[in-house]
Amino acid sequence: MKGDGPFPASNNVLLEVRNLRVIYDTTFGKVDAVSQVSFHVNENEFFGLAGESGCGKSTVAYSLVREVPPPGKIVGGQILLNGRDLLKLSNEEMRKVRWKEVSVIPQAAMNALNPVYTVGDQIAEAIMEHEKAPKDEALARAEELLDLVGVGRHRVRSYPHELSGGQRQRVMIAMALALNPPLVIADEPTTALDVVVQAQILNLFKELRDKFGMSMIFITHDLTTMFELVDRIAIMYAGKIVEIGPTDKIVDDPLHPYTQLLVKAVPRIGKGERGKFEYIPGSPPNLLEPPPGCRFHPRCPKRFEPCDREEPRIIQVDRDRWVACHLFGRG
Ligand code: SF4
């Protein structure tokens, strides 16, 4: 079964990303950071973007809220949220979309929080700005949110430095949920935390999903964490999506050679060989000059004749599975 891209088969689609392209215009040349990336997220779905550091997953995340840091530039594609292309909105229209329709939980909570304002004031600010709520009402909502994420309302007047790393991350989650957006993007939200706090934050996400019914795009290089949380996963390599599928199928039966190596590199979930883990040979390419053909070919143990000159298209190989590899046909 073949198709033109991993577009939705369901009618409860919240987000469709079509052929997204992002470059970083550097003094050394143009870095092809995100290339022809397409995926969709359904309502109340938890969707994962995984891959090694530098594969473009965070760039995709910040593209969705049009906040790619300079010298990054979105140069092509569509980002359809409830059918509306966010790339066509004015800056003012986009400002109204952030927090209200899509919000981001960033990687480093300490850097994202303003050290000179209390956490209550910082949560209340988004509520006051978007809903024109008076300050006392916004602060009351901030207290409720702090209770909800397990920090406790007594912390509403605390400054970020008075909280632990886990508490600060929970404050960021409270801020992301303040306006009850249908889509939340979590960019490596547990990376800086110890394993116990990581597990608590993952449980919190599960509880909040039941309570709010939001969708989430969860970004991480840690497949173990992702496997715990998401319904479907897209695997990225060198700025491109190489495989998309339901989490259990990605873990138990990965199709793309890169996904296979990535899964084997996680001993806890590698099929049949628990305790043994393998590393992925070589390193990701320099995206100033990506390799011709399949970007993974210099590291791929299964490369064959067309791989170093012909780029594989992403094709549908099953009802809910997509893969970009010549082993599955030439599109
Ligand atoms: Fe490997 Fe070729 Fe498939 Fe690329 S297209 S992953 S090089 S087999």
Side-chain angles (χ1 to χ4, degrees):
M1 206 187 318
K2 295 178 182 177
D4 292 330
F7 299 128
S10 57
N11 56 8
N12 61 338
V13 175
L14 176 68
L15 175 79
E16 277 180 67
V17 175
R18 291 179 173 254
N19 301 318
L20 180 67
R21 183 154 184 249
V22 183
I23 59 161
Y24 285 93
D25 206 352
T26 71
T27 47
F28 303 105
K30 288 185 172 45
V31 175
D32 202 11
V34 170
S35 185
Q36 303 300 111
V37 161
S38 297
F39 63 92
H40 76 278
V41 181
N42 293 318
E43 289 169 2
N44 193 221
E45 182 179 45
F46 275 23
F47 183 79
L49 271 180
E52 290 165 289
S53 297
C55 69
K57 53 195 188 300
S58 290
T59 301
V60 170
Y62 286 95
S63 299
L64 301 182
V65 284
R66 284 183 28 193
E67 285 190 338
V68 182
K73 255 190 255 174
I74 300 172
V75 292
Q78 290 179 302
I79 297 171
L80 303 161
L81 184 63
N82 277 320
R84 188 168 56 146
D85 189 354
L86 300 186
L87 297 183
K88 294 215 167 102
L89 300 186
S90 66
N91 289 340
E92 179 57 21
E93 287 167 330
M94 192 60 213
R95 202 179 56 75
K96 289 179 184 158
V97 168
R98 291 188 200 106
W99 298 106
K100 182 84 185 147
E101 294 182 52
V102 51
S103 62
V104 180
I105 302 167
Q107 199 172 123
M110 194 59 199
N111 300 341
L113 289 166
N114 189 326
V116 301
Y117 291 104
T118 66
V119 294
D121 279 346
Q122 292 184 62
I123 298 170
E125 190 183 313
I127 299 168
M128 288 191 290
E129 188 182 328
H130 282 266
E131 297 188 349
K132 308 293 171 226
K135 182 152 187 183
D136 55 346
E137 205 177 287
L139 277 172
R141 286 267 299 287
E143 287 181 351
E144 282 170 26
L145 285 159
L146 288 171
D147 277 345
L148 186 77
V149 298
V151 173
R153 62 180 57 220
H154 62 287
R155 288 298 204 173
V156 74
R157 291 193 184 80
S158 296
Y159 289 88
H161 73 271
E162 296 175 306
L163 304 178
S164 69
Q167 285 174 318
R168 288 194 290 263
Q169 195 56 276
R170 286 169 189 262
V171 169
M172 291 310 306
I173 295 168
M175 285 176 78
L177 294 173
L179 300 171
N180 199 9
L183 178 63
V184 175
I185 299 164
D187 180 23
E188 305 262 12
T190 58
T191 300
L193 305 173
D194 67 55
V195 286
V196 175
V197 182
Q198 269 185 17
Q200 291 168 350
I201 297 285
L202 292 187
N203 283 336
L204 175 63
F205 283 139
K206 289 177 195 163
E207 286 166 29
L208 294 172
R209 176 186 191 167
D210 292 342
K211 200 165 279 193
F212 286 86
M214 80 278 196
S215 303
M216 180 178 279
I217 298 178
F218 188 78
I219 290 156
T220 185
H221 62 277
D222 176 359
L223 269 192
T224 312
T225 307
M226 183 161 279
F227 177 52
E228 293 282 315
L229 193 68
V230 304
D231 306 306
R232 285 188 304 128
I233 297 180
I235 303 291
M236 284 191 76
Y237 182 77
K240 289 176 173 280
I241 288 182
V242 297
E243 182 164 0
I244 300 181
T247 303
D248 55 345
K249 291 185 183 168
I250 292 278
V251 171
D252 292 338
D253 181 27
L255 298 178
H256 193 281
Y258 175 63
T259 316
Q260 290 169 356
L261 289 170
L262 207 57
V263 169
K264 277 188 190 162
V266 183
R268 203 168 78 74
I269 61 175
K271 188 182 182 182
E273 292 185 281
R274 286 167 200 276
K276 180 183 175 196
F277 86 101
E278 296 176 24
Y279 71 100
I280 305 173
S283 48
N286 179 351
L287 293 180
L288 272 169
E289 284 181 70
C294 171
R295 289 184 176 185
F296 188 55
H297 88 259
R299 301 171 80 186
C300 181
K302 297 185 177 170
R303 66 181 173 268
F304 60 112
E305 190 277 318
C307 300
D308 62 356
R309 58 181 172 78
E310 228 177 86
E311 186 174 350
R313 285 177 59 213
I314 192 158
I315 60 172
Q316 191 170 9
V317 292
D318 201 348
R319 190 183 62 79
D320 48 8
R321 300 199 75 179
W322 298 79
V323 64
C325 171
H326 291 312
L327 291 168
F328 297 87
R330 310 270 284 269

